[in-house]
Short mmCIF file of all heavy atoms in Angstrom, two decimals:
data_model
loop_
_atom_site.label_atom_id
_atom_site.label_comp_id
_atom_site.label_asym_id
_atom_site.label_seq_id
_atom_site.Cartn_x
_atom_site.Cartn_y
_atom_site.Cartn_z
N THR A 67 9.23 41.91 -25.39
CA THR A 67 8.53 42.00 -26.67
C THR A 67 9.32 41.29 -27.76
O THR A 67 8.77 40.51 -28.54
CB THR A 67 8.29 43.47 -27.05
OG1 THR A 67 7.52 44.11 -26.03
CG2 THR A 67 7.55 43.57 -28.38
N THR A 68 10.62 41.57 -27.82
CA THR A 68 11.48 40.91 -28.79
C THR A 68 11.42 39.40 -28.63
O THR A 68 11.36 38.64 -29.60
CB THR A 68 12.94 41.39 -28.61
OG1 THR A 68 12.99 42.82 -28.79
CG2 THR A 68 13.86 40.74 -29.63
N ALA A 69 11.40 38.95 -27.37
CA ALA A 69 11.36 37.52 -27.10
C ALA A 69 10.04 36.90 -27.56
O ALA A 69 10.02 35.82 -28.16
CB ALA A 69 11.58 37.27 -25.62
N LEU A 70 8.92 37.57 -27.31
CA LEU A 70 7.62 37.03 -27.68
C LEU A 70 7.43 36.98 -29.19
O LEU A 70 6.76 36.08 -29.71
CB LEU A 70 6.50 37.86 -27.05
CG LEU A 70 6.34 37.73 -25.54
CD1 LEU A 70 5.29 38.71 -25.03
CD2 LEU A 70 5.97 36.31 -25.15
N ILE A 71 8.02 37.92 -29.90
CA ILE A 71 7.94 37.89 -31.37
C ILE A 71 8.73 36.68 -31.90
O ILE A 71 8.30 36.02 -32.86
CB ILE A 71 8.48 39.21 -31.96
CG1 ILE A 71 7.52 40.36 -31.60
CG2 ILE A 71 8.64 39.11 -33.47
CD1 ILE A 71 8.05 41.73 -31.98
N ALA A 72 9.86 36.39 -31.27
CA ALA A 72 10.68 35.26 -31.71
C ALA A 72 10.11 33.92 -31.27
O ALA A 72 10.21 32.92 -31.99
CB ALA A 72 12.10 35.42 -31.17
N ASP A 73 9.49 33.88 -30.09
CA ASP A 73 8.95 32.63 -29.53
C ASP A 73 7.74 33.01 -28.67
O ASP A 73 7.90 33.64 -27.62
CB ASP A 73 10.01 31.93 -28.68
CG ASP A 73 9.56 30.55 -28.19
OD1 ASP A 73 8.35 30.31 -28.10
OD2 ASP A 73 10.44 29.72 -27.92
N PRO A 74 6.53 32.65 -29.09
CA PRO A 74 5.33 33.12 -28.38
C PRO A 74 5.06 32.42 -27.05
O PRO A 74 4.09 32.78 -26.38
CB PRO A 74 4.21 32.84 -29.39
CG PRO A 74 4.70 31.66 -30.16
CD PRO A 74 6.19 31.86 -30.29
N ARG A 75 5.87 31.47 -26.68
CA ARG A 75 5.65 30.80 -25.40
C ARG A 75 6.01 31.74 -24.24
O ARG A 75 7.06 32.38 -24.27
CB ARG A 75 6.47 29.52 -25.31
CG ARG A 75 6.01 28.42 -26.26
CD ARG A 75 6.93 27.23 -26.19
NE ARG A 75 8.29 27.58 -26.59
CZ ARG A 75 9.33 26.77 -26.49
NH1 ARG A 75 9.17 25.56 -25.96
NH2 ARG A 75 10.53 27.16 -26.90
N ALA A 76 5.12 31.80 -23.24
CA ALA A 76 5.36 32.68 -22.09
C ALA A 76 4.72 32.07 -20.86
O ALA A 76 3.92 31.15 -20.93
CB ALA A 76 4.77 34.07 -22.36
N SER A 77 5.10 32.61 -19.71
CA SER A 77 4.52 32.18 -18.45
C SER A 77 4.26 33.40 -17.59
O SER A 77 5.06 34.35 -17.57
CB SER A 77 5.49 31.23 -17.73
OG SER A 77 4.91 30.73 -16.54
N LEU A 78 3.12 33.40 -16.90
CA LEU A 78 2.76 34.48 -15.99
C LEU A 78 2.72 33.96 -14.56
O LEU A 78 2.34 32.81 -14.33
CB LEU A 78 1.38 35.05 -16.33
CG LEU A 78 1.21 35.77 -17.66
CD1 LEU A 78 -0.26 36.15 -17.84
CD2 LEU A 78 2.09 37.00 -17.73
N LEU A 79 3.11 34.81 -13.62
CA LEU A 79 2.98 34.49 -12.20
C LEU A 79 2.17 35.61 -11.55
O LEU A 79 2.54 36.78 -11.61
CB LEU A 79 4.35 34.39 -11.54
CG LEU A 79 4.34 34.22 -10.01
CD1 LEU A 79 3.71 32.89 -9.61
CD2 LEU A 79 5.76 34.33 -9.44
N THR A 80 1.03 35.24 -10.95
CA THR A 80 0.20 36.21 -10.24
C THR A 80 -0.04 35.73 -8.82
O THR A 80 0.15 34.56 -8.49
CB THR A 80 -1.16 36.41 -10.94
OG1 THR A 80 -1.90 35.17 -10.91
CG2 THR A 80 -0.98 36.85 -12.38
N GLY A 81 -0.51 36.65 -7.99
CA GLY A 81 -0.74 36.34 -6.58
C GLY A 81 0.20 37.14 -5.70
O GLY A 81 1.40 36.88 -5.68
N GLU A 82 -0.34 38.12 -4.99
CA GLU A 82 0.49 39.00 -4.17
C GLU A 82 0.66 38.42 -2.76
O GLU A 82 -0.33 38.05 -2.13
CB GLU A 82 -0.14 40.39 -4.08
CG GLU A 82 -0.24 41.10 -5.42
CD GLU A 82 -0.75 42.51 -5.27
OE1 GLU A 82 -0.22 43.24 -4.42
OE2 GLU A 82 -1.69 42.88 -6.00
N PRO A 83 1.89 38.35 -2.27
CA PRO A 83 2.10 37.87 -0.90
C PRO A 83 1.63 38.89 0.12
O PRO A 83 1.65 40.09 -0.13
CB PRO A 83 3.61 37.66 -0.83
CG PRO A 83 4.17 38.61 -1.84
CD PRO A 83 3.16 38.67 -2.95
N GLY A 84 1.19 38.41 1.27
CA GLY A 84 0.81 39.28 2.37
C GLY A 84 1.82 39.17 3.50
O GLY A 84 3.02 38.97 3.27
N LYS A 85 1.35 39.28 4.73
CA LYS A 85 2.24 39.21 5.88
C LYS A 85 2.76 37.79 6.07
O LYS A 85 2.14 36.82 5.68
CB LYS A 85 1.50 39.65 7.14
CG LYS A 85 1.07 41.12 7.13
CD LYS A 85 0.36 41.49 8.42
CE LYS A 85 -0.04 42.96 8.43
NZ LYS A 85 -0.75 43.34 9.67
N GLY A 86 3.93 37.71 6.67
CA GLY A 86 4.49 36.41 6.99
C GLY A 86 5.20 35.77 5.81
O GLY A 86 5.73 36.45 4.92
N ASP A 87 5.20 34.46 5.79
CA ASP A 87 5.90 33.69 4.76
C ASP A 87 5.25 33.93 3.39
O ASP A 87 4.07 33.61 3.19
CB ASP A 87 5.81 32.20 5.12
CG ASP A 87 6.61 31.32 4.17
OD1 ASP A 87 7.11 31.84 3.15
OD2 ASP A 87 6.71 30.11 4.44
N PRO A 88 5.99 34.48 2.43
CA PRO A 88 5.39 34.74 1.11
C PRO A 88 4.96 33.48 0.39
O PRO A 88 4.08 33.53 -0.46
CB PRO A 88 6.51 35.47 0.35
CG PRO A 88 7.77 35.10 1.05
CD PRO A 88 7.40 34.93 2.49
N LEU A 89 5.55 32.33 0.75
CA LEU A 89 5.18 31.08 0.10
C LEU A 89 3.90 30.48 0.67
O LEU A 89 3.40 29.48 0.15
CB LEU A 89 6.32 30.07 0.21
CG LEU A 89 7.64 30.49 -0.47
CD1 LEU A 89 8.66 29.36 -0.35
CD2 LEU A 89 7.41 30.85 -1.93
N ALA A 90 3.37 31.08 1.72
CA ALA A 90 2.14 30.58 2.32
C ALA A 90 0.90 31.17 1.66
O ALA A 90 -0.22 30.77 1.97
CB ALA A 90 2.12 30.88 3.82
N HIS A 91 1.10 32.12 0.72
CA HIS A 91 -0.02 32.81 0.09
C HIS A 91 -0.30 32.22 -1.30
O HIS A 91 0.62 31.77 -1.99
CB HIS A 91 0.26 34.30 0.00
CG HIS A 91 0.41 34.96 1.33
ND1 HIS A 91 -0.66 35.46 2.04
CD2 HIS A 91 1.51 35.17 2.11
CE1 HIS A 91 -0.22 35.96 3.19
NE2 HIS A 91 1.08 35.79 3.26
N PRO A 92 -1.57 32.23 -1.73
CA PRO A 92 -1.93 31.63 -3.02
C PRO A 92 -1.23 32.31 -4.18
O PRO A 92 -1.01 33.52 -4.19
CB PRO A 92 -3.45 31.85 -3.09
CG PRO A 92 -3.89 32.02 -1.68
CD PRO A 92 -2.76 32.69 -0.98
N ARG A 93 -0.90 31.50 -5.20
CA ARG A 93 -0.26 32.03 -6.39
C ARG A 93 -0.59 31.12 -7.57
O ARG A 93 -0.89 29.94 -7.40
CB ARG A 93 1.25 32.14 -6.22
CG ARG A 93 1.94 30.85 -5.78
CD ARG A 93 3.31 31.14 -5.21
NE ARG A 93 4.01 29.92 -4.78
CZ ARG A 93 3.87 29.37 -3.59
NH1 ARG A 93 3.02 29.88 -2.72
NH2 ARG A 93 4.55 28.28 -3.27
N LEU A 94 -0.54 31.71 -8.75
CA LEU A 94 -0.89 30.99 -9.97
C LEU A 94 0.22 31.16 -10.99
O LEU A 94 0.66 32.27 -11.27
CB LEU A 94 -2.20 31.55 -10.54
CG LEU A 94 -2.66 30.95 -11.88
CD1 LEU A 94 -3.19 29.53 -11.65
CD2 LEU A 94 -3.73 31.82 -12.53
N THR A 95 0.68 30.04 -11.54
CA THR A 95 1.62 30.06 -12.66
C THR A 95 0.88 29.59 -13.90
O THR A 95 0.34 28.48 -13.93
CB THR A 95 2.82 29.12 -12.38
OG1 THR A 95 3.50 29.57 -11.21
CG2 THR A 95 3.78 29.15 -13.56
N LEU A 96 0.83 30.46 -14.90
CA LEU A 96 0.06 30.20 -16.11
C LEU A 96 0.98 30.15 -17.32
O LEU A 96 1.69 31.11 -17.61
CB LEU A 96 -0.99 31.31 -16.30
CG LEU A 96 -1.88 31.20 -17.53
CD1 LEU A 96 -2.86 30.04 -17.36
CD2 LEU A 96 -2.65 32.51 -17.76
N GLN A 97 0.98 29.02 -18.00
CA GLN A 97 1.70 28.91 -19.27
C GLN A 97 0.75 29.30 -20.40
O GLN A 97 -0.41 28.86 -20.41
CB GLN A 97 2.21 27.49 -19.47
CG GLN A 97 3.28 27.10 -18.46
CD GLN A 97 3.70 25.65 -18.59
OE1 GLN A 97 2.89 24.77 -18.83
NE2 GLN A 97 4.99 25.39 -18.43
N CYS A 98 1.23 30.13 -21.31
CA CYS A 98 0.34 30.67 -22.33
C CYS A 98 1.09 30.90 -23.64
O CYS A 98 2.32 30.86 -23.69
CB CYS A 98 -0.32 31.97 -21.85
SG CYS A 98 0.77 33.06 -20.93
N THR A 99 0.31 31.14 -24.68
CA THR A 99 0.83 31.45 -26.01
C THR A 99 0.45 32.88 -26.37
O THR A 99 -0.73 33.25 -26.29
CB THR A 99 0.26 30.48 -27.06
OG1 THR A 99 0.62 29.14 -26.72
CG2 THR A 99 0.81 30.81 -28.44
N ALA A 100 1.43 33.67 -26.75
CA ALA A 100 1.20 35.08 -27.05
C ALA A 100 0.71 35.25 -28.48
O ALA A 100 1.25 34.65 -29.42
CB ALA A 100 2.49 35.88 -26.84
N GLU A 101 -0.32 36.07 -28.64
CA GLU A 101 -0.88 36.40 -29.94
C GLU A 101 -0.81 37.91 -30.12
O GLU A 101 -1.40 38.66 -29.33
CB GLU A 101 -2.33 35.94 -30.05
CG GLU A 101 -2.52 34.45 -29.79
CD GLU A 101 -3.99 34.07 -29.67
OE1 GLU A 101 -4.83 34.98 -29.46
OE2 GLU A 101 -4.29 32.87 -29.78
N THR A 102 -0.09 38.37 -31.14
CA THR A 102 0.01 39.80 -31.37
C THR A 102 -1.31 40.35 -31.88
O THR A 102 -2.08 39.66 -32.56
CB THR A 102 1.14 40.13 -32.36
OG1 THR A 102 1.35 41.55 -32.40
CG2 THR A 102 0.83 39.60 -33.75
N VAL A 103 -1.62 41.59 -31.55
CA VAL A 103 -2.88 42.24 -31.93
C VAL A 103 -2.55 43.40 -32.85
O VAL A 103 -1.81 44.31 -32.47
CB VAL A 103 -3.64 42.74 -30.68
CG1 VAL A 103 -4.92 43.46 -31.09
CG2 VAL A 103 -3.94 41.58 -29.73
N GLU A 104 -3.10 43.37 -34.04
CA GLU A 104 -2.84 44.43 -35.02
C GLU A 104 -3.53 45.72 -34.58
O GLU A 104 -4.68 45.72 -34.13
CB GLU A 104 -3.34 44.01 -36.40
CG GLU A 104 -2.64 42.77 -36.97
CD GLU A 104 -1.14 42.97 -37.13
OE1 GLU A 104 -0.73 44.13 -37.37
OE2 GLU A 104 -0.39 41.99 -36.99
N ARG A 105 -2.84 46.84 -34.77
CA ARG A 105 -3.34 48.13 -34.29
C ARG A 105 -4.64 48.55 -34.97
O ARG A 105 -5.48 49.23 -34.36
CB ARG A 105 -2.27 49.20 -34.48
CG ARG A 105 -2.63 50.58 -33.95
CD ARG A 105 -1.47 51.51 -34.02
NE ARG A 105 -0.49 51.21 -32.98
CZ ARG A 105 -0.52 51.75 -31.77
NH1 ARG A 105 -1.47 52.58 -31.44
NH2 ARG A 105 0.40 51.45 -30.88
N ASP A 106 -4.84 48.17 -36.23
CA ASP A 106 -6.03 48.61 -36.96
C ASP A 106 -7.19 47.60 -36.85
O ASP A 106 -8.16 47.69 -37.60
CB ASP A 106 -5.70 48.86 -38.43
CG ASP A 106 -5.15 47.61 -39.13
OD1 ASP A 106 -4.91 46.60 -38.44
OD2 ASP A 106 -4.95 47.66 -40.36
N SER A 107 -7.11 46.69 -35.92
CA SER A 107 -8.14 45.65 -35.79
C SER A 107 -9.21 46.05 -34.77
O SER A 107 -9.00 46.91 -33.91
CB SER A 107 -7.51 44.33 -35.36
OG SER A 107 -6.96 44.44 -34.05
N ASP A 108 -10.37 45.40 -34.88
CA ASP A 108 -11.42 45.60 -33.88
C ASP A 108 -10.96 45.13 -32.51
O ASP A 108 -11.33 45.72 -31.47
CB ASP A 108 -12.68 44.83 -34.29
CG ASP A 108 -13.36 45.42 -35.51
OD1 ASP A 108 -13.10 46.60 -35.84
OD2 ASP A 108 -14.15 44.69 -36.16
N ALA A 109 -10.15 44.08 -32.48
CA ALA A 109 -9.64 43.57 -31.21
C ALA A 109 -8.82 44.62 -30.49
O ALA A 109 -8.90 44.77 -29.26
CB ALA A 109 -8.81 42.31 -31.44
N HIS A 110 -8.02 45.39 -31.25
CA HIS A 110 -7.20 46.43 -30.63
C HIS A 110 -8.08 47.46 -29.93
O HIS A 110 -7.79 47.88 -28.79
CB HIS A 110 -6.32 47.11 -31.67
CG HIS A 110 -5.50 48.25 -31.12
ND1 HIS A 110 -4.23 48.07 -30.62
CD2 HIS A 110 -5.79 49.56 -30.96
CE1 HIS A 110 -3.76 49.21 -30.19
NE2 HIS A 110 -4.69 50.14 -30.38
N GLN A 111 -9.15 47.89 -30.59
CA GLN A 111 -10.03 48.89 -29.99
C GLN A 111 -10.70 48.35 -28.74
O GLN A 111 -10.86 49.07 -27.74
CB GLN A 111 -11.07 49.33 -31.02
CG GLN A 111 -10.49 50.04 -32.23
CD GLN A 111 -9.65 51.26 -31.85
OE1 GLN A 111 -10.06 52.06 -31.00
NE2 GLN A 111 -8.48 51.38 -32.45
N ARG A 112 -11.11 47.10 -28.78
CA ARG A 112 -11.74 46.49 -27.61
C ARG A 112 -10.76 46.39 -26.44
O ARG A 112 -11.09 46.75 -25.30
CB ARG A 112 -12.26 45.10 -27.97
CG ARG A 112 -12.90 44.36 -26.81
CD ARG A 112 -13.36 42.96 -27.19
NE ARG A 112 -12.26 42.03 -27.40
CZ ARG A 112 -11.89 41.54 -28.58
NH1 ARG A 112 -12.54 41.89 -29.67
NH2 ARG A 112 -10.87 40.69 -28.67
N LEU A 113 -9.55 45.93 -26.73
CA LEU A 113 -8.56 45.77 -25.67
C LEU A 113 -8.10 47.13 -25.13
O LEU A 113 -7.82 47.27 -23.94
CB LEU A 113 -7.36 44.98 -26.20
CG LEU A 113 -7.66 43.55 -26.65
CD1 LEU A 113 -6.39 42.85 -27.09
CD2 LEU A 113 -8.35 42.76 -25.55
N ARG A 114 -8.01 48.11 -26.01
CA ARG A 114 -7.62 49.46 -25.59
C ARG A 114 -8.62 50.00 -24.57
O ARG A 114 -8.24 50.54 -23.52
CB ARG A 114 -7.53 50.39 -26.80
CG ARG A 114 -7.09 51.81 -26.47
CD ARG A 114 -7.11 52.69 -27.72
NE ARG A 114 -6.58 54.01 -27.43
CZ ARG A 114 -7.29 55.00 -26.86
NH1 ARG A 114 -8.57 54.78 -26.53
NH2 ARG A 114 -6.74 56.17 -26.63
N ALA A 115 -9.92 49.88 -24.87
CA ALA A 115 -10.95 50.38 -23.96
C ALA A 115 -10.91 49.64 -22.63
O ALA A 115 -10.99 50.25 -21.55
CB ALA A 115 -12.32 50.24 -24.62
N ARG A 116 -10.76 48.31 -22.68
CA ARG A 116 -10.74 47.53 -21.45
C ARG A 116 -9.48 47.83 -20.63
O ARG A 116 -9.54 47.90 -19.40
CB ARG A 116 -10.80 46.03 -21.77
CG ARG A 116 -12.13 45.57 -22.31
CD ARG A 116 -12.24 44.04 -22.35
NE ARG A 116 -13.38 43.62 -21.55
CZ ARG A 116 -13.35 42.68 -20.63
NH1 ARG A 116 -12.22 42.06 -20.37
NH2 ARG A 116 -14.42 42.36 -19.95
N PHE A 117 -8.35 47.99 -21.30
CA PHE A 117 -7.10 48.22 -20.59
C PHE A 117 -7.13 49.58 -19.89
O PHE A 117 -6.70 49.72 -18.74
CB PHE A 117 -5.93 48.16 -21.58
CG PHE A 117 -4.59 47.91 -20.93
CD1 PHE A 117 -4.16 46.61 -20.68
CD2 PHE A 117 -3.77 48.96 -20.57
CE1 PHE A 117 -2.93 46.37 -20.08
CE2 PHE A 117 -2.54 48.73 -19.97
CZ PHE A 117 -2.12 47.42 -19.72
N LEU A 118 -7.65 50.61 -20.58
CA LEU A 118 -7.71 51.94 -19.98
C LEU A 118 -8.69 51.99 -18.82
O LEU A 118 -8.48 52.74 -17.86
CB LEU A 118 -8.09 52.97 -21.03
CG LEU A 118 -6.99 53.36 -22.02
CD1 LEU A 118 -7.52 54.31 -23.08
CD2 LEU A 118 -5.79 53.98 -21.29
N ALA A 119 -9.78 51.23 -18.90
CA ALA A 119 -10.73 51.19 -17.80
C ALA A 119 -10.07 50.65 -16.54
O ALA A 119 -10.36 51.08 -15.42
CB ALA A 119 -11.94 50.34 -18.17
N ARG A 120 -9.15 49.71 -16.71
CA ARG A 120 -8.44 49.11 -15.59
C ARG A 120 -7.20 49.91 -15.20
O ARG A 120 -6.87 50.01 -14.01
CB ARG A 120 -8.04 47.68 -15.96
CG ARG A 120 -7.27 46.93 -14.90
CD ARG A 120 -6.91 45.53 -15.35
NE ARG A 120 -8.03 44.61 -15.27
CZ ARG A 120 -7.91 43.33 -14.92
NH1 ARG A 120 -6.72 42.83 -14.64
NH2 ARG A 120 -8.96 42.55 -14.88
N HIS A 121 -6.52 50.47 -16.19
CA HIS A 121 -5.26 51.20 -15.96
C HIS A 121 -5.35 52.59 -16.62
O HIS A 121 -4.75 52.82 -17.68
CB HIS A 121 -4.08 50.44 -16.55
CG HIS A 121 -3.90 49.05 -16.03
ND1 HIS A 121 -3.49 48.78 -14.75
CD2 HIS A 121 -4.08 47.84 -16.64
CE1 HIS A 121 -3.42 47.47 -14.57
NE2 HIS A 121 -3.77 46.88 -15.70
N PRO A 122 -6.09 53.52 -16.05
CA PRO A 122 -6.27 54.83 -16.70
C PRO A 122 -4.99 55.61 -16.92
O PRO A 122 -4.90 56.40 -17.86
CB PRO A 122 -7.23 55.57 -15.74
CG PRO A 122 -7.17 54.83 -14.45
CD PRO A 122 -6.87 53.41 -14.79
N LYS A 123 -3.97 55.38 -16.10
CA LYS A 123 -2.70 56.10 -16.28
C LYS A 123 -1.98 55.69 -17.55
O LYS A 123 -1.08 56.40 -18.02
CB LYS A 123 -1.80 55.87 -15.06
CG LYS A 123 -2.34 56.50 -13.78
CD LYS A 123 -1.44 56.21 -12.59
CE LYS A 123 -2.03 56.79 -11.31
NZ LYS A 123 -1.20 56.47 -10.11
N ALA A 124 -2.37 54.55 -18.14
CA ALA A 124 -1.76 54.10 -19.39
C ALA A 124 -2.15 55.01 -20.56
O ALA A 124 -1.56 54.89 -21.65
CB ALA A 124 -2.17 52.67 -19.70
N GLN A 125 -3.10 55.92 -20.35
CA GLN A 125 -3.48 56.89 -21.38
C GLN A 125 -2.28 57.69 -21.85
O GLN A 125 -2.23 58.14 -23.00
CB GLN A 125 -4.54 57.84 -20.82
CG GLN A 125 -5.06 58.88 -21.79
CD GLN A 125 -5.93 58.28 -22.86
OE1 GLN A 125 -6.93 57.63 -22.55
NE2 GLN A 125 -5.58 58.46 -24.13
N LEU A 126 -1.27 57.83 -20.98
CA LEU A 126 -0.08 58.62 -21.32
C LEU A 126 0.73 58.01 -22.45
O LEU A 126 1.42 58.74 -23.18
CB LEU A 126 0.81 58.78 -20.07
CG LEU A 126 0.20 59.55 -18.89
CD1 LEU A 126 1.12 59.44 -17.69
CD2 LEU A 126 -0.01 61.01 -19.29
N TYR A 127 0.65 56.70 -22.65
CA TYR A 127 1.53 56.06 -23.63
C TYR A 127 0.85 55.00 -24.49
O TYR A 127 1.47 54.45 -25.40
CB TYR A 127 2.73 55.42 -22.92
CG TYR A 127 2.36 54.49 -21.78
CD1 TYR A 127 2.00 53.17 -22.00
CD2 TYR A 127 2.37 54.95 -20.47
CE1 TYR A 127 1.66 52.32 -20.95
CE2 TYR A 127 2.04 54.11 -19.41
CZ TYR A 127 1.68 52.80 -19.66
OH TYR A 127 1.34 51.97 -18.62
N ILE A 128 -0.41 54.71 -24.25
CA ILE A 128 -1.06 53.60 -24.92
C ILE A 128 -1.09 53.76 -26.44
O ILE A 128 -1.09 52.77 -27.18
CB ILE A 128 -2.49 53.39 -24.36
CG1 ILE A 128 -3.01 52.01 -24.75
CG2 ILE A 128 -3.43 54.51 -24.81
CD1 ILE A 128 -4.30 51.63 -24.05
N ASP A 129 -1.11 55.00 -26.93
CA ASP A 129 -1.18 55.24 -28.37
C ASP A 129 0.17 55.52 -29.02
O ASP A 129 0.22 55.87 -30.20
CB ASP A 129 -2.16 56.38 -28.67
CG ASP A 129 -3.60 56.02 -28.31
OD1 ASP A 129 -3.98 54.85 -28.51
OD2 ASP A 129 -4.33 56.91 -27.83
#
Side-chain angles (χ1 to χ4, degrees):
T67 301
T68 301
L70 289 174
I71 292 173
D73 186 336
R75 292 175 298 172
S77 184
L78 294 175
L79 174 65
T80 63
E82 297 185 49
K85 294 181 179 179
D87 185 352
L89 298 183
H91 297 272
R93 54 198 180 274
L94 176 73
T95 299
L96 180 71
Q97 294 176 321
C98 40
T99 300
E101 303 170 343
T102 189
V103 178
E104 298 299 329
R105 183 173 285 270
D106 59 353
S107 66
D108 291 341
H110 177 91
Q111 296 304 315
R112 179 182 71 250
L113 298 182
R114 182 184 185 279
R116 290 191 122 230
F117 200 87
L118 284 176
R120 179 180 282 216
H121 303 290
K123 293 178 183 178
Q125 182 71 57
L126 296 172
Y127 52 83
I128 196 170
D129 294 323

